[in-house]
Amino acid sequence: MTPTRLIRRAACAFALGALFVAAPPLHAQPKPANFIVIYCDDLGYGDLASYGHPSIRTPELDRMAAEGIRFTDFYSGAEVCTPSRAALLTGRYALRSGMAGGRRVLFPNSPGGLPASELTLAEALRDRGYATAHIGKWHLGIHEGSRPQDQGFDYAYGLPYSNDMDGRDGLPGGAAKSPNPPADGWNVPLIRNGEVIEQPADQTTLTRRYTEESLRFIRESRAAGKPFFLYLAHTMPHVPLFASPEQKGRSPRGVYGDTVEEIDTSTGRILAALREAGLAGDTLVVFTSDNGPWLTQGLQGGSAGLLREGKGSTWEGGMRVPALAWMPGRIAPAVVRQPASVLDLFPTALALAGATAPAGLSFDGRDLGPVLFEGRTRSEYPFFYYRGTRIFACRLGKWKAHFRTQGGYGDPQPAVHETPLLFNLEVDPSETTDVATNHPDIVAKIVAATKAHEATVVPVPLQL
Amino acid sequence: MTPTRLIRRAACAFALGALFVAAPPLHAQPKPANFIVIYCDDLGYGDLASYGHPSIRTPELDRMAAEGIRFTDFYSGAEVCTPSRAALLTGRYALRSGMAGGRRVLFPNSPGGLPASELTLAEALRDRGYATAHIGKWHLGIHEGSRPQDQGFDYAYGLPYSNDMDGRDGLPGGAAKSPNPPADGWNVPLIRNGEVIEQPADQTTLTRRYTEESLRFIRESRAAGKPFFLYLAHTMPHVPLFASPEQKGRSPRGVYGDTVEEIDTSTGRILAALREAGLAGDTLVVFTSDNGPWLTQGLQGGSAGLLREGKGSTWEGGMRVPALAWMPGRIAPAVVRQPASVLDLFPTALALAGATAPAGLSFDGRDLGPVLFEGRTRSEYPFFYYRGTRIFACRLGKWKAHFRTQGGYGDPQPAVHETPLLFNLEVDPSETTDVATNHPDIVAKIVAATKAHEATVVPVPLQL
């Protein structure tokens, strides 16, 4: 065993937030790879054809899945939008950056945002010479210090928050969940590099415009000879649902399907552009969602498939999401059933860039490289299901313990479980059968891991 | 348009049970094709990886799906076992053969069975020179006239009924739903060509033995230069769940997963044998299930994925099942979202055999050839969801009307809907949102189609 391997093994054995190791990773390559994250809003676990949906047609994503890795057990960083995005961009649970609790997400009148002091993936990669772009929904703050251009993005184009915020005066309650929402119902601005370029944003063409902006950014980065990081955060399929005139009415699944199928088309265009530019083998593309489906939106919300509950809850349906990873020639086609999460993406991208984390910064996620590029199984480590500032559940290997349970929306109080509920997620993915009494050792191990994790959380000012 | 086409179009326009047309079908071929039906017992819509299950590993079936057609909207012939199998083998709803109602399925002490007067697919194909075999579970009667050897099968090997019947004296209640059921708990016999060869049948090796019998039948039919029809009706994953020593404990999904993964391996062996024998392009293989998952079996029952309810009910989860069709070189890879059902298999197989239905026999299903081999869309026609002798629901195109609804098990009385419930199954596959009041025309059309169908049902003695 080489010294490098020894160090890596020691790091893997470390039970909590992994320190990024300074030695070059096994899959290091001389040329920094490009990285694209395609992030959907409220797309559910069951909403792609390759995850079993019968009437949403996603041929491009199905092809991406067939050519790459389809994850069955991939998690968002939180149960709702803002903390989930903070976790993605920092590689750490949102509570560590203060982006949790309070009103659950940022609103247009919220004073807080992602602190400027936080290191984002965009900043880390820009420091390594990457061109960086955020295209799409932001939702990490609108004030100086928190905006995309303050957080490492050379280029920013999109909405500052959710598309159902900033409703116009007199908008009827429930308008957002209509299958035909009013085009002028929300006053949300479209912003380019800090300047409002359209208000209200024409939401019907957002997915297409995000796509075109993304393609231009890829082209220009290539022309400049720079590696790039693209964070494409779609506004859809979050209500109110809008599709382009070309797409509207085409999906058998109705307007919800229209928006997902338009994202499918968008993804196909991006992968095709990478292939045509000869960049496919140098670009890791990850497709996923910020949380589960918003079930209270009725037919305008998605499906968690066989999973329990949806967005807002820490049952599996709230946080287990579709996830695909694609890098032809580097990633061999596979279905991966190991747990992984959006928290892993920061360390993964750093390793792909040939970079190391700054001294003193510890991630909650871990490099996915061994899984993606070497077909290896990572050693197990705990994943925490936060709801606001509290840990509601923890997954360790195939086991999940719930300390608290609560419906995503409309359930006023959590049920607190003095003896945690325990589910074997492999045998029981729908979380029907509590087996805690049969496995007190597992429960104790998870409780201990959770306490150890909590001890690492340094209090910071809460932003929400 | 050729006269043949005109005749076919006229037949398609016929709104009810299709008369099989005497003209040669468009996809007729000089050499009769072989036909294999692989039929699972209680496999749910969500139980294959290609239908979204996260922890049941089905690489062989996923490959079959990728090489062939995966149906998203395929139905069993009934909501429980016996009528479903009668529908498969007769191409007609089970009520027409009297195989519906009463105790819902046949029991070991039932006097009835599939009447000898019924024409089965095996009889029709044997008349055309096919070698025919039934391997696996029968459940269409144990008395003379109803047994496999009386219904057109040259060779028969398997169990006469469900594996949870004929429990031994003193067997504790609920033993069948145990993850470790007693090996000597049920006295069900293994029968070859009418002779009991093992009692109780060793259920742990059934899937493997069924597979070996199937492979031998394929080999021998080929050696004899005969086209063949193989009806391989697995006993699994019906409770009590048993897997072979090689498989047991291997699936992440537990013993339920063990049995499904063993069927996956079995299917892979059969397709490989067809490839090796040069028969792949001459053999239509259809893989499906007899009804939805038996949800009351807890973790020993399967999953309907995003569909509502399971086995025993006429909600989608009770009757929409996984279905794959494979015939390399004849079937192009596709996901097919048109409705289809097991009732279609008889006319499809007849057409593949270059045969026509006897005068006066009308099927409830229709030739799937245009869908399988030509990528065509069939004209819409009603599909009826029977529960016992009653029609509980009807699907026409994307619409489904429920006249009665009832849980699969434990729900003592159906709710009768004077105004039928109406669901758009494409927009609302989980059947959450009744839209009957918005579409009285659709409801009226479905009611009329149902009345017209009922008028075609000739009363016969009930067998169950």
Side-chain angles (χ1 to χ4, degrees):
Chain A
M1 189 175 278
T2 65
T4 303
R5 288 205 175 204
L6 274 171
I7 291 167
R8 290 181 61 81
R9 179 161 290 186
C12 289
F14 189 65
L16 300 171
L19 286 168
F20 193 80
V21 177
L26 293 177
H27 54 85
Q29 55 173 13
K31 186 176 162 192
N34 310 306
F35 186 40
I36 299 178
V37 177
I38 303 174
Y39 209 52
C40 298
D41 200 346
D42 294 353
L43 181 74
Y45 187 75
D47 281 329
L48 303 184
S50 47
Y51 285 79
H53 202 283
S55 56
I56 301 178
R57 302 165 305 182
T58 52
E60 300 294 343
L61 290 163
D62 299 346
R63 183 179 166 193
M64 180 181 176
E67 293 176 356
I69 284 176
R70 185 172 75 81
F71 285 94
T72 61
D73 290 58
F74 192 94
Y75 294 91
S76 64
E79 87 294 5
V80 289
C81 182
T82 294
S84 174
R85 285 153 207 264
L88 163 65
L89 284 187
T90 63
R92 307 190 307 144
Y93 292 109
L95 180 60
R96 296 194 193 271
S97 54
M99 296 293 279
R103 297 164 73 192
R104 306 191 80 176
V105 299
L106 290 169
F107 286 84
N109 62 358
S110 298
L114 187 65
S117 56
E118 289 296 323
L119 179 75
T120 68
L121 176 54
E123 289 168 329
L125 292 178
R126 190 167 66 176
D127 288 349
R128 300 288 299 191
Y130 278 59
T132 56
H134 166 258
I135 292 166
K137 171 176 169 178
W138 181 242
H139 216 180
L140 292 173
I142 57 177
H143 305 294
E144 195 177 328
S146 298
R147 303 163 306 175
Q149 63 269 37
D150 307 322
Q151 291 286 1
F153 289 100
D154 301 329
Y155 182 73
Y157 177 96
L159 306 191
Y161 34 70
S162 295
N163 58 331
D164 65 339
M165 293 177 171
D166 221 353
R168 66 164 161 73
D169 287 348
L171 187 69
K177 72 190 284 184
S178 160
N180 283 300
D184 62 349
W186 296 267
N187 199 35
V188 60
L190 178 64
I191 298 175
R192 175 184 277 135
N193 294 332
E195 289 197 23
V196 174
I197 58 172
E198 188 177 293
Q199 189 165 21
D202 176 1
Q203 296 201 35
T204 64
T205 54
L206 279 183
T207 298
R208 193 173 65 202
R209 287 189 283 172
Y210 291 167
T211 309
E212 281 155 13
E213 291 283 331
S214 297
L215 295 173
R216 191 166 58 78
F217 170 72
I218 292 169
R219 266 197 317 274
E220 290 178 0
S221 301
R222 180 168 183 263
K226 292 181 91 170
F228 60 83
F229 168 47
L230 168 62
Y231 170 38
L232 167 53
H234 285 289
T235 287
M236 298 295 145
H238 190 294
V239 296
L241 299 172
F242 291 103
S244 68
E246 294 72 30
Q247 177 63 46
K248 194 169 159 60
R250 292 192 56 194
S251 173
R253 173 62 179 83
V255 62
Y256 184 86
D258 286 342
T259 66
V260 177
E261 294 185 13
E262 193 150 33
I263 288 173
D264 180 72
T265 302
S266 162
T267 308
R269 288 181 67 192
I270 289 169
L271 302 190
L274 292 172
R275 276 196 203 89
E276 283 158 24
L279 294 172
D282 300 322
T283 306
L284 172 63
V285 184
V286 172
F287 176 96
T288 189
S289 179
D290 70 334
N291 47 242
W294 204 353
L295 299 178
T296 54
Q297 303 304 322
L299 296 179
Q300 276 62 255
S303 167
L306 83 172
L307 302 180
R308 186 165 171 177
E309 259 279 359
K311 172 179 174 173
S313 91
T314 50
W315 294 102
E316 289 295 286
M319 292 179 60
R320 202 195 292 197
V321 286
L324 310 175
W326 181 91
M327 195 174 190
R330 295 286 308 279
I331 290 179
V335 176
V336 168
R337 296 189 168 80
Q338 301 173 52
S341 86
V342 80
L343 292 160
D344 298 331
L345 298 183
F346 195 150
T348 303
L350 268 194
L352 269 176
T356 57
L361 179 66
S362 78
F363 293 117
D364 288 310
R366 297 187 182 184
D367 182 10
L368 263 176
V371 175
L372 297 176
F373 309 121
E374 301 163 36
R376 286 167 58 188
T377 301
R378 299 192 296 181
S379 55
E380 84 184 16
Y381 70 101
F383 174 81
F384 299 101
Y385 303 70
Y386 273 89
R387 177 174 174 133
T389 58
R390 279 225 164 100
I391 293 172
F392 268 48
C394 171
R395 177 169 181 170
L396 186 63
K398 66 186 176 187
W399 301 102
K400 178 179 180 182
H402 289 267
F403 312 114
R404 289 178 170 78
T405 51
Q406 188 173 7
Y409 289 86
D411 198 356
Q413 289 292 333
V416 179
H417 306 287
E418 285 306 325
T419 298
L421 310 180
L422 185 72
F423 297 95
N424 177 334
L425 292 180
E426 290 182 347
V427 171
D428 184 17
S430 303
E431 298 175 284
T432 63
T433 308
D434 173 23
V435 293
T437 54
N438 304 336
H439 301 283
D441 51 327
I442 306 280
V443 173
K445 196 171 161 188
I446 295 180
V447 167
T450 305
K451 285 192 176 143
H453 166 79
E454 284 173 327
T456 71
V457 178
V458 179
V460 295
L462 297 182
Q463 301 291 328
L464 312 187
Chain B
M1 187 174 278
T2 64
T4 303
R5 287 205 177 205
L6 274 172
I7 291 169
R8 289 181 60 82
R9 180 161 292 186
C12 287
F14 189 64
L16 299 171
L19 285 168
F20 194 81
V21 177
L26 291 178
H27 55 84
Q29 54 173 9
K31 188 176 161 192
N34 310 307
F35 187 39
I36 298 178
V37 177
I38 303 175
Y39 208 54
C40 297
D41 199 346
D42 294 353
L43 182 75
Y45 187 75
D47 281 328
L48 304 184
S50 48
Y51 284 78
H53 201 283
S55 55
I56 301 178
R57 302 165 306 182
T58 52
E60 301 294 344
L61 291 163
D62 299 346
R63 183 178 165 194
M64 180 181 176
E67 293 176 355
I69 285 175
R70 185 172 76 80
F71 286 93
T72 62
D73 291 55
F74 192 95
Y75 293 93
S76 64
E79 85 297 2
V80 288
C81 184
T82 294
S84 175
R85 286 153 207 264
L88 163 65
L89 285 186
T90 64
R92 308 191 307 143
Y93 292 108
L95 181 59
R96 296 194 194 271
S97 53
M99 296 293 279
R103 299 163 73 189
R104 305 189 79 178
V105 299
L106 289 169
F107 286 84
N109 62 359
S110 297
L114 187 65
S117 56
E118 289 296 322
L119 179 74
T120 69
L121 176 53
E123 289 168 330
L125 292 178
R126 191 167 65 177
D127 287 349
R128 299 288 299 189
Y130 277 59
T132 57
H134 166 259
I135 292 166
K137 171 176 168 178
W138 181 243
H139 216 180
L140 292 173
I142 57 176
H143 305 293
E144 197 175 327
S146 298
R147 301 164 305 175
Q149 64 268 36
D150 306 321
Q151 291 287 359
F153 289 100
D154 301 329
Y155 183 73
Y157 176 96
L159 307 191
Y161 35 70
S162 295
N163 59 331
D164 66 338
M165 293 177 170
D166 220 353
R168 68 164 160 72
D169 287 348
L171 188 69
K177 71 190 284 186
S178 162
N180 283 301
D184 62 349
W186 296 268
N187 200 36
V188 59
L190 178 64
I191 298 175
R192 174 183 278 133
N193 294 332
E195 289 199 21
V196 174
I197 58 171
E198 189 176 292
Q199 189 164 16
D202 175 1
Q203 295 201 35
T204 63
T205 53
L206 278 183
T207 299
R208 194 174 65 203
R209 287 189 284 172
Y210 291 166
T211 309
E212 281 156 11
E213 291 283 329
S214 297
L215 295 173
R216 190 165 59 77
F217 170 72
I218 293 169
R219 266 197 317 274
E220 290 178 0
S221 301
R222 180 168 184 262
K226 292 181 92 169
F228 60 82
F229 168 48
L230 168 62
Y231 169 39
L232 167 54
H234 285 290
T235 288
M236 298 296 144
H238 189 295
V239 297
L241 299 172
F242 290 103
S244 69
E246 294 72 29
Q247 177 63 45
K248 194 170 160 58
R250 291 193 56 195
S251 173
R253 173 61 179 84
V255 61
Y256 184 86
D258 286 342
T259 64
V260 177
E261 293 185 13
E262 193 150 32
I263 288 171
D264 181 72
T265 303
S266 162
T267 308
R269 288 181 68 193
I270 289 168
L271 301 190
L274 292 172
R275 276 195 204 89
E276 283 158 23
L279 295 171
D282 301 321
T283 307
L284 172 62
V285 184
V286 172
F287 177 96
T288 190
S289 179
D290 69 335
N291 47 241
W294 203 354
L295 299 178
T296 54
Q297 304 304 322
L299 295 179
Q300 276 61 256
S303 167
L306 83 171
L307 302 179
R308 186 165 172 178
E309 259 279 359
K311 171 179 175 174
S313 92
T314 50
W315 294 102
E316 288 296 284
M319 292 180 59
R320 202 196 292 198
V321 286
L324 311 174
W326 182 91
M327 195 173 188
R330 296 286 307 277
I331 291 179
V335 176
V336 168
R337 296 188 169 80
Q338 299 173 53
S341 85
V342 80
L343 292 160
D344 297 331
L345 298 183
F346 195 150
T348 303
L350 268 194
L352 269 176
T356 56
L361 179 67
S362 79
F363 294 117
D364 288 309
R366 297 186 183 186
D367 183 11
L368 263 176
V371 176
L372 297 177
F373 309 121
E374 300 163 37
R376 287 167 58 189
T377 300
R378 299 191 297 182
S379 56
E380 83 184 18
Y381 70 102
F383 173 80
F384 299 101
Y385 302 69
Y386 273 91
R387 178 174 172 135
T389 58
R390 279 221 165 103
I391 294 172
F392 268 48
C394 171
R395 176 169 181 167
L396 185 63
K398 66 187 176 186
W399 301 102
K400 178 179 179 181
H402 289 266
F403 312 113
R404 290 179 170 78
T405 50
Q406 188 172 7
Y409 288 87
D411 198 356
Q413 289 292 332
V416 179
H417 306 287
E418 285 307 324
T419 298
L421 309 181
L422 185 72
F423 297 95
N424 177 334
L425 291 181
E426 290 181 347
V427 171
D428 184 17
S430 303
E431 297 173 286
T432 63
T433 309
D434 173 23
V435 293
T437 53
N438 305 335
H439 301 283
D441 52 326
I442 306 280
V443 172
K445 195 171 162 191
I446 294 181
V447 167
T450 304
K451 284 192 178 141
H453 166 79
E454 285 174 329
T456 71
V457 177
V458 179
V460 296
L462 296 181
Q463 301 292 329
L464 313 185

